[in-house]
Amino acid sequence: MSRLGLDPDRLPGHVAIIMDGNGRWARRRGLPRVAGHAAARASVREVVAACAELDIAELTLYTFSMENWSRPRSEVAALMRLLDQTLREQVDDMDRDNIRLNAMGRLDELPKYARSRLDKAMERLSGNDGLRLNLAISYGGRAEILDAVRAIVEEVGRGTIRPEDIDEELFRSRLYSPDLPDPDLLIRTSGEFRISNFLLWQVAYSELYVTDVLWPDFRRKHLYDALRDYQQRERRFGGIGRSGKSERR
């Protein structure tokens, strides 16, 4: 057991986070919503650094949803500028910390300057082999499933696959990041009990952890709390656990 009260052998391999509460954080301080988004960058830095230090393999952050495009144009523009600025400022630190970068979603919908910055950062960090940071950008779980279905239907139409060939493995291969393992732990901040269209295919058996902490206030200690809670769980994936009782479905 580490000094943090964590068992290094029972850490999740993949942590996913729904980073919620930026707007409420700003509103409680009488600030514009974009101030909450800007403050949230410190939380991202802390969590990324902590996961890298713990040798967690995958961290996926719900960065910008498909639904976020419907927000006021000024807020969307500010979010894209923050993405560009954060990547520009943090890429050297991520490279030093041996972090890889991946992005998933309908990336072609991003402004050209933001997409260019993202592509350059992913290329710059592609040779690293430490923590992989996955950014879900212009992402929706339903959109991902629909895009996978469309790709499969097109292949069936061309005759390159047969309907009877379609199974879970083939379907996963058409998702945005086919090699992304299912999250072991899904954290949601701000106290809301919703998945919010995030990784709908992948979270079928993820352990869920909800905290009332707003994302801009989320720090290492809150991540460690979530990890300690996770290590108290018995994961059965629909089977029978050590108690001999089957999982309730």
Side-chain angles (χ1 to χ4, degrees), residues 106 140-158 160-161 163 166-168 170-176 201:
R106 292 181 175 174
R142 287 180 174 178
E144 180 175 30
I145 291 170
L146 284 173
D147 288 348
V149 169
R150 290 189 183 110
I152 291 170
V153 168
E154 289 178 2
E155 292 177 70
V156 170
R158 293 196 301 267
T160 55
I161 60 175
I166 301 171
D167 56 15
E168 288 191 15
L170 186 144
F171 187 85
R172 177 180 288 276
S173 73
R174 302 314 191 265
L175 296 176
Y176 295 145
W201 176 267

Side-chain angles (χ1 to χ4, degrees), residues 38 59 62 78 106 145 148 166 194 220 240 244:
L59 173 63
Y62 203 4
R106 292 181 175 174
I145 291 170
I166 301 171
R194 293 191 299 272
R220 288 170 181 260
I240 296 177

Side-chain angles (χ1 to χ4, degrees), residues 72-218:
R73 185 176 300 179
S74 60
E75 183 177 352
V76 171
L79 285 165
M80 292 298 109
R81 289 195 297 270
L82 281 172
L83 172 64
D84 177 73
Q85 180 183 357
T86 301
L87 289 171
R88 184 175 67 251
E89 293 175 351
Q90 295 299 314
V91 69
D92 288 342
D93 289 342
M94 287 192 288
D95 198 17
R96 180 198 63 211
D97 294 336
N98 196 31
I99 292 170
R100 292 174 291 159
L101 183 65
N102 177 53
M104 51 191 288
R106 292 181 175 174
L107 304 181
D108 289 342
E109 297 184 3
L110 295 175
K112 288 184 179 180
Y113 74 91
R115 177 65 188 273
S116 175
R117 180 74 62 186
L118 183 61
D119 287 342
K120 289 178 181 177
M122 288 191 289
E123 175 63 25
R124 164 84 179 275
L125 303 172
S126 62
N128 295 336
D129 59 5
L131 169 74
R132 182 166 68 161
L133 174 61
N134 305 287
L135 302 181
I137 305 176
S138 190
Y139 175 88
R142 287 180 174 178
E144 180 175 30
I145 291 170
L146 284 173
D147 288 348
V149 169
R150 290 189 183 110
I152 291 170
V153 168
E154 289 178 2
E155 292 177 70
V156 170
R158 293 196 301 267
T160 55
I161 60 175
R162 300 171 301 171
E164 56 268 30
D165 295 330
I166 301 171
D167 56 15
E168 288 191 15
E169 182 178 355
L170 186 144
F171 187 85
R172 177 180 288 276
S173 73
R174 302 314 191 265
L175 296 176
Y176 295 145
S177 293
D179 63 335
L180 184 71
D182 292 344
D184 299 295
L185 173 63
L186 172 61
I187 299 171
R188 177 162 190 148
T189 60
S190 86
E192 301 290 346
F193 287 83
R194 293 191 299 272
I195 297 176
S196 294
N197 199 19
F198 183 47
L199 299 178
L200 296 182
W201 176 267
Q202 297 90 338
V203 300
Y205 283 103
S206 299
E207 297 295 321
L208 307 182
Y209 179 87
V210 177
T211 174
D212 290 332
V213 176
L214 302 179
W215 176 247
D217 292 326
F218 195 90

Side-chain angles (χ1 to χ4, degrees), residues 210-230:
V210 177
T211 174
D212 290 332
V213 176
L214 302 179
W215 176 247
D217 292 326
F218 195 90
R219 293 294 183 269
R220 288 170 181 260
K221 63 180 181 179
H222 303 114
L223 175 66
Y224 300 151
D225 286 343
L227 295 174
R228 282 189 286 266
D229 183 87
Y230 169 83

